[in-house]
């Protein structure tokens, strides 16, 4: 566990002792307007500002703890929690859209939730790495085509999500069934990238396992 994580856990316990009814505060991050000419630079600015805000809050939280300013530490803790909870919910929503497209064979939805560009990757169970938006989408056309037994039933277990700045990943166990058979169990990792304030999947890796 990192030093900042230990500090975060410590101030949670300390602040609960000093402030048992401490209210939770929400914080919103500003979003800059964009245009066709400068959208790329502004998107980069937004991503860097988000990461810097989070890192700055962590540093200020550590300073408040070391100086035993627990009321300020509690305020900073709540701001960090609000940022993480908001972005975690958005990542989980994007992950749900991915599996909804997977289950239903909705290629329109599948195309809309993948990040554009050549830096996206997909590794289906038993296959090699597929790179680039067009190739990845073509692979899903084959995976959930007419012969795949759509609609599928996908149960997710042991789901965990981690968010840091403009990147996030979800790990889970997939249990995939068709109407007459089962694809078995896969361990999956889904990586998401934040663009224009929205989360898009940029990597999916699934591997068969036997439990």
């Amino acid at each position: 566990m990192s030093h900042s994580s230990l500090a975060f856990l410590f101030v949670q316990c300390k602040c609960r002792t000093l402030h048992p009814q401490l209210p939770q505060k929400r914080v919103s991050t500003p979003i800059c307007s964009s245009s066709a000419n400068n959208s790329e630079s502004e998107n980069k600015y937004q991503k860097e500002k988000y990461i810097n805000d989070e890192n700055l809050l962590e540093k200020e939280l550590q300073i408040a703890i070391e100086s035993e300013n627990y009321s300020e530490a509690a305020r900073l803790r709540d701001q960090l929690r609000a940022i993480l909870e908001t972005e975690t919910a958005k990542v989980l929503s994007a992950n749900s859209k991915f599996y909804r497209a997977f289950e239903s064979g909705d290629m329109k939805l599948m195309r809309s939730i993948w990040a554009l560009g050549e830096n996206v990757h997909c590794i289906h169970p038993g296959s090699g790495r597929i790179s680039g938006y067009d190739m990845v989408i073509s692979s899903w056309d084959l995976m959930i085509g007419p012969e795949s037994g759509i609609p599928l039933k996908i149960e997710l277990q042991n789901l965990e999500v981690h968010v840091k700045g403009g990147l996030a990943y979800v790990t889970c166990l997939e249990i995939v069934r068709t109407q007459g058979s089962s694809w078995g169990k896969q361990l999956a990792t889904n990586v998401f990238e934040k663009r224009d304030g929205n989360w898009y999947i940029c990597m999916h890796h699934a591997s068969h396992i036997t439990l």
Side-chain angles (χ1 to χ4, degrees):
M1 182 177 291
S2 67
H3 188 268
S4 61
S5 297
L6 286 170
F8 188 85
L9 181 60
F10 172 78
V11 77
Q12 279 190 306
C13 297
K14 189 73 175 178
C15 291
R16 285 175 183 168
T17 302
L18 296 177
H19 305 278
Q21 301 300 323
L22 188 66
Q24 298 298 310
K25 298 180 181 178
R26 307 297 291 179
V27 62
S28 59
T29 54
I31 300 176
C32 297
S33 60
S34 60
S35 64
N37 294 330
N38 62 8
S39 60
E40 183 176 350
S41 61
E42 288 189 353
N43 291 341
K44 181 179 179 181
Y45 167 78
Q46 283 297 321
K47 181 177 179 180
E48 290 177 350
K49 187 175 189 305
Y50 177 88
I51 296 173
N52 289 338
D53 285 348
E54 186 178 342
N55 290 339
L56 179 60
L57 284 171
E58 288 178 347
K59 290 178 182 178
E60 290 180 348
L61 174 60
Q62 181 61 33
I63 292 171
I65 293 170
E66 291 175 353
S67 62
E68 299 186 356
N69 186 350
Y70 297 118
S71 61
E72 175 65 7
R75 184 185 68 81
L76 294 167
R77 177 209 63 187
D78 291 342
Q79 286 187 330
L80 273 170
R81 178 181 295 167
I83 290 174
L84 293 174
E85 286 179 351
T86 299
E87 295 306 319
T88 296
K90 291 179 180 178
V91 171
L92 288 173
S93 176
N95 193 66
S96 295
K97 288 181 181 178
F98 168 71
Y99 282 106
R100 188 160 67 247
F102 191 172
E103 276 190 320
S104 64
D106 186 341
M107 284 305 302
K108 181 179 179 180
L109 179 59
M110 184 65 78
R111 283 189 289 269
S112 72
I113 60 179
W114 277 87
L116 300 176
E118 296 303 312
N119 63 330
V120 298
H121 308 284
C122 187
I123 303 175
H124 298 293
S127 72
R129 187 184 69 179
I130 302 166
S131 300
Y133 176 83
D134 291 336
M135 293 298 293
V136 167
I137 294 302
S138 295
S139 76
W140 282 105
D141 264 323
L142 296 174
M143 280 288 294
I144 55 179
E147 297 181 0
S148 62
I150 295 295
L152 303 172
K153 179 176 176 56
I154 303 177
E155 178 186 351
L156 301 181
Q157 296 181 358
N158 305 330
L159 191 147
E160 295 184 6
V161 59
H162 178 79
V163 182
K164 184 68 174 179
L167 288 175
Y169 64 84
V170 176
T171 58
C172 61
L173 174 66
E174 302 173 350
I175 302 176
V176 184
R177 299 183 180 90
T178 66
Q179 293 180 351
S181 62
S182 172
W183 290 11
K185 299 177 180 180
Q186 290 82 232
L187 282 176
T189 301
N190 299 320
V191 181
F192 295 85
E193 181 180 2
K194 192 175 185 182
R195 298 185 180 184
D196 301 327
N198 298 310
W199 290 95
Y200 296 91
I201 188 168
C202 59
M203 191 186 79
H204 169 73
H205 184 183
S207 300
H208 282 300
I209 61 168
T210 302
L211 294 177

